[in-house]
Amino acid sequence: MSLLMPAIVGDYFNAENHHDSDAVAQCFSADGVVHDEGHAHAGHAAIKAWKEAGSKQYGASVSPTSADMQGARCLVTCSVSGSFPGSPLALRFAFTLAGDRIATLEISA
């Protein structure tokens, strides 16, 4: 099944699944922010560090199962599997876009 989502969101998931922290960070605007597990990671360096730590700890893979555009927001539901309790989990990735980059990403259950 092919889901319709903005190219930058597809790029994010491709980089995520290749555990490419540089490519993940470059999907975001310079002042982009990721909200995950109760923490905010702002800017390319912090997003890269967040991705590196997560890849090392969980080795997760993300499979989008649905996508819905709501203006500048793209809501994607994913099956996330890795080395963590309860794997796989259904998580929601809420992207807010700014031009051709991601301004914010909120990951929640």
Side-chain angles (χ1 to χ4, degrees), residues 6-51:
I8 195 65
V9 173
D11 293 347
Y12 169 86
F13 286 118
N14 185 51
E16 172 85 19
N17 283 325
H18 283 94
H19 304 285
D20 185 340
S21 57
D22 285 320
V24 166
Q26 291 306 309
C27 290
F28 288 82
S29 60
D31 59 350
V33 180
V34 174
H35 299 276
D36 184 33
E37 296 182 332
H39 300 283
H41 311 276
H44 287 159
I47 292 169
K48 179 181 176 183
W50 160 77
K51 178 59 198 146

Side-chain angles (χ1 to χ4, degrees), residues 32-75:
V33 180
V34 174
H35 299 276
D36 184 33
E37 296 182 332
H39 300 283
H41 311 276
H44 287 159
I47 292 169
K48 179 181 176 183
W50 160 77
K51 178 59 198 146
E52 286 175 349
S55 290
K56 189 176 288 186
Q57 183 174 3
Y58 303 118
S61 63
V62 181
S63 298
T65 57
S66 70
D68 181 41
M69 286 300 300
Q70 298 176 353
R73 285 179 57 89
C74 180
L75 306 175

Side-chain angles (χ1 to χ4, degrees), residues 45-106:
I47 292 169
K48 179 181 176 183
W50 160 77
K51 178 59 198 146
E52 286 175 349
S55 290
K56 189 176 288 186
Q57 183 174 3
Y58 303 118
S61 63
V62 181
S63 298
T65 57
S66 70
D68 181 41
M69 286 300 300
Q70 298 176 353
R73 285 179 57 89
C74 180
L75 306 175
V76 183
T77 302
C78 298
S79 176
V80 181
S81 59
S83 59
F84 52 84
S87 177
L89 294 175
L91 296 179
R92 186 180 87 149
F93 289 66
F95 297 90
T96 302
L97 306 178
D100 64 348
R101 293 285 175 246
I102 300 166
T104 62
L105 167 58
E106 299 171 38

